[in-house]
Amino acid sequence: MTTATHVTDHAHDHHDHPSGIMRWVTATNHKDIGTLYLWFAFIMFLSGGVMALCIRLELFQPGLQYFRPELFNQFTTLHGLVMVFGAIMPAFTGLANWMLPLMLGAPDMAFARMNNWSFWLLPPAAALLMISFVVPGGAAAAGWTLYAPLATQMGVGMDLTIFAIHIMGISSIMGAINIIVTILNMRAPGMTLMKMPMFAWTSLITAYLLIAVMPVLAGAVTMVLTDRHFGTNFFNAAGGGDPVLYQHIFWFFGHPEVYIMALPAFGVVSQVIPTFSRKPLFGYHSMVYATASIAILSFMVWAHHMFAVGMPVTAQLFFMYATALIAVPTGVKVFNWIATMWKGAMTFETPMLFAIGFVCLFTMGGFSGVVLSIAAVDIQLQDTYYVVAHFHYVLVAGALFSLFAAVYYWLPKWTGHMYPEGRGKVHFWWSMIAFNVTFFPMHFLGLAGMPRRIPDYATQFTEFNTMATVGAFAFGIAQVYFLFFVLLPTIKGGQKAPQRPWEGGQTLEWEVPSPAPFHTWEEPPARELVDKLSAEQKLH
Ligand code: HEM
Ligand SMILES: [Cu+2]
């Protein structure tokens, strides 16, 4: 069945948009905006990575002092903020922009101009964050959580950070509205909600989470701003306020935020694993319900970040049980991915390696999360390197590895070229080993009592810190290798990619040519095509 609705060649692409820089400044095409988001996220990832390497350099050996302690605190704070708001979140919005219209059979995102805006708000916000390093007093140094009262005592760098968070929040909310309206209103005829790809489901639920919690963060940092400049005392104990209140509001945003970075990863992996197992996704419906229940439960667990603030035991018990409960739908997902691979005709191209790496390491991160959910244990491990290890297993091996799986999986559709498979495998194994050398020892540093956010430490923590630093640099170099030896060469040229580079691809994006023309699905795909693909995925 051919897709006659598509311009099969690119002869007309050039006059569909202005050329040069103006193409990008005025972009309204979902593919161009997706590309902008992905490059922005990669640049932010590299800058957050450089900050991480500065942190690790300082912690290579006890007694070193490459950076002033204040600057170390600024690196730690900005590393977290840049990686969360500048790298991971925009990357998933970029993927959604590129892929959702192609996978749903829609010509573009619902609000093309708002889409342009939601992207172009990000670079100025990122600039505010980076400029804060050079203003008097330096960048914010209160940790990425920006806890009061420390945040209310910081210099002007904190105000720039608060404005940056406001702007990035607006960008996220606009992006989320666009994703929700596109998914609910622009699916191809015949593609009911329970027939759409899992990546669309996780994007939809993530978008609702974003709309629900980004205003909460905006509220929290605005109260810090008014405490700083307008004499309010929301978090000022001396003025009758309560600094612990800030932690409740921040984590009411913060915990759903971690799922805003995990759910899209689940969606990507649920596309990649069936393709390279050559089997439909096992338990599609239970996957959808598990995603929705994780999103709902994520609103009921926030105080597991605060077991050490002196909460009543009843509250600790509630948040402990609610957190343990999240393990159930997460377990369903891991079971379904394994069941999809079970007896599948599996091949291990790079996207599949990153997807399997994700499942293994994210599950390990989940296990240390269950350990931390037990209040009595968490009171020992709170604010130690065990926590740093935990969230890097879920955020780096989780979100980041799934993003690499997505890039390798869809790069042929984006560029029209196959990436060099051998180098992809080198990048995967290099990242996998370096990641574990960096973060696995951190579990033991935390169990031995090493606090996080300290620029120096006692000698008994030396060996594991040295190992973590060597691993971190190896991980960083692996990503530079990816940029110069995989990504840029594939964009520039290489083996031509066929329309269906992956034999097991079961979704609509594989029905358009590679590279995908500037305009696609100007006419919705034929109903029979949608039905055929749904039948192949055993969706009814
Ligand atoms: C690329 C490799 C990465 C390395 C080597 C790395 C390293 C580190 C280290 C050493 C710390 C702890 C600083 C301390 O408490 O002393 C840290 C904190 C943190 N990292 Fe990463 N990280 C990496 C990637 C990421 C990614 C992809 C994310 C994604 C969201 C992330 C999010 C965070 C957050 C939120 C913190 C807490 C910052 C704070 O304490 O306020 N990191 N990272
Ligand atoms: Cu949490």
Side-chain angles (χ1 to χ4, degrees), residues 251 254-255 258 301-302 304-305:
W251 284 113
H255 191 84
V258 303
V301 297
W302 78 87
H304 66 211
H305 295 270

Side-chain angles (χ1 to χ4, degrees), residues 105-430:
D108 210 305
M109 297 291 284
F111 307 114
R113 288 185 189 78
M114 184 166 90
N115 213 8
N116 173 286
W117 249 100
S118 56
F119 170 75
W120 279 112
L121 280 176
L122 290 179
L128 279 178
L129 281 181
M130 296 306 174
I131 289 166
S132 69
F133 273 110
V134 292
V135 296
W144 86 283
T145 50
L146 307 178
Y147 276 9
L150 195 54
T152 44
Q153 297 155 4
M154 294 268 124
V156 65
M158 179 55 71
D159 300 315
L160 298 183
T161 304
I162 292 173
F163 293 144
I165 287 175
H166 278 141
I167 298 171
M168 289 194 275
I170 295 167
S171 161
S172 294
I173 291 170
M174 291 205 292
I177 293 169
N178 226 331
I179 288 170
I180 292 172
V181 177
T182 305
I183 292 175
L184 295 183
N185 294 6
M186 297 172 71
R187 296 188 315 278
M191 188 186 283
T192 56
L193 281 174
M194 276 306 190
K195 283 186 180 175
M196 67 180 185
M198 194 48 65
F199 182 69
W201 265 114
T202 54
S203 300
L204 180 67
I205 294 173
T206 304
Y208 278 114
L209 278 182
L210 269 169
I211 289 181
V213 299
M214 290 313 283
V216 175
L217 175 65
V221 294
T222 305
M223 286 190 256
V224 170
L225 193 71
T226 58
D227 272 15
R228 289 171 53 80
H229 297 293
F230 303 108
T232 58
N233 290 301
F234 291 108
F235 310 124
N236 174 16
D242 178 1
V244 174
L245 170 66
Y246 175 87
Q247 296 187 28
H248 280 291
I249 304 173
F250 177 85
W251 284 113
F252 188 81
F253 146 81
H255 191 84
E257 169 64 20
V258 303
Y259 284 106
I260 285 167
M261 294 187 280
L263 294 183
F266 297 162
V268 168
V269 165
S270 301
Q271 298 302 142
V272 171
I273 289 180
T275 299
F276 295 95
S277 308
R278 293 167 184 74
K279 273 177 59 183
L281 180 68
F282 182 91
Y284 174 92
H285 290 81
S286 64
M287 272 297 204
V288 173
Y289 301 137
T291 308
S293 40
I294 288 174
I296 294 162
L297 283 169
S298 78
F299 283 97
M300 300 175 204
V301 297
W302 78 87
H304 66 211
H305 295 270
M306 300 162 59
F307 282 140
V309 294
M311 232 187 303
V313 172
T314 38
Q316 291 187 25
L317 289 173
F318 170 79
F319 286 106
M320 182 165 93
Y321 295 143
T323 307
L325 210 51
I326 286 193
V328 177
T330 314
V332 166
K333 283 186 171 281
V334 174
F335 177 85
N336 287 357
W337 289 319
I338 295 169
T340 305
M341 290 189 260
W342 187 254
K343 294 198 174 145
M346 293 165 71
T347 50
F348 300 94
E349 286 85 349
T350 311
M352 186 61 162
L353 290 177
F354 272 108
I356 295 173
F358 166 89
V359 174
C360 300
L361 298 183
F362 185 85
T363 307
M364 274 174 67
F367 289 155
S368 58
V370 172
V371 169
L372 288 168
S373 76
I374 301 161
V377 177
D378 182 71
I379 287 171
Q380 305 301 322
L381 297 175
Q382 167 87 5
D383 267 355
T384 70
Y385 253 80
Y386 189 92
V387 176
V388 176
H390 160 67
F391 65 69
H392 282 92
Y393 267 79
V394 286
L395 289 176
V396 178
L400 188 70
F401 274 31
S402 80
L403 282 163
F404 281 130
V407 170
Y408 280 105
Y409 185 54
W410 284 312
L411 205 53
K413 192 54 64 185
W414 301 342
T415 62
H417 305 127
M418 295 307 290
Y419 60 84
E421 184 58 50
R423 294 185 193 173
K425 287 196 166 73
V426 168
H427 175 227
F428 168 74
W429 286 111
W430 189 348

Side-chain angles (χ1 to χ4, degrees), residues 370-538:
V370 172
V371 169
L372 288 168
S373 76
I374 301 161
V377 177
D378 182 71
I379 287 171
Q380 305 301 322
L381 297 175
Q382 167 87 5
D383 267 355
T384 70
Y385 253 80
Y386 189 92
V387 176
V388 176
H390 160 67
F391 65 69
H392 282 92
Y393 267 79
V394 286
L395 289 176
V396 178
L400 188 70
F401 274 31
S402 80
L403 282 163
F404 281 130
V407 170
Y408 280 105
Y409 185 54
W410 284 312
L411 205 53
K413 192 54 64 185
W414 301 342
T415 62
H417 305 127
M418 295 307 290
Y419 60 84
E421 184 58 50
R423 294 185 193 173
K425 287 196 166 73
V426 168
H427 175 227
F428 168 74
W429 286 111
W430 189 348
S431 301
M432 185 73 171
I433 295 165
F435 170 84
N436 284 294
V437 170
T438 309
F439 293 104
F440 199 67
M442 290 182 183
H443 291 100
F444 305 110
L445 287 172
L447 289 169
M450 180 179 168
R452 60 189 286 196
R453 295 175 174 163
I454 56 166
D456 208 341
Y457 51 84
T459 49
Q460 77 258 34
F461 299 124
T462 307
E463 287 74 21
F464 281 143
N465 268 294
T466 305
M467 203 171 152
T469 298
V470 170
F473 276 84
F475 189 84
I477 299 165
Q479 310 324 318
V480 176
Y481 169 86
F482 165 70
L483 175 62
F484 290 105
F485 291 90
V486 180
L487 189 60
L488 292 176
T490 307
I491 292 170
K492 286 201 196 99
Q495 182 203 340
K496 182 142 182 26
Q499 178 173 327
R500 291 186 191 78
W502 320 117
E503 185 198 318
Q506 301 158 338
T507 35
L508 273 176
E509 76 268 31
W510 307 117
E511 301 297 324
V512 306
S514 301
F518 194 72
H519 292 303
T520 40
W521 300 129
E522 289 150 301
E523 301 291 326
R527 177 70 188 256
E528 308 78 63
L529 174 61
V530 174
D531 293 346
K532 178 179 113 359
L533 291 175
S534 314
E536 274 172 17
Q537 295 165 73
K538 300 221 174 355

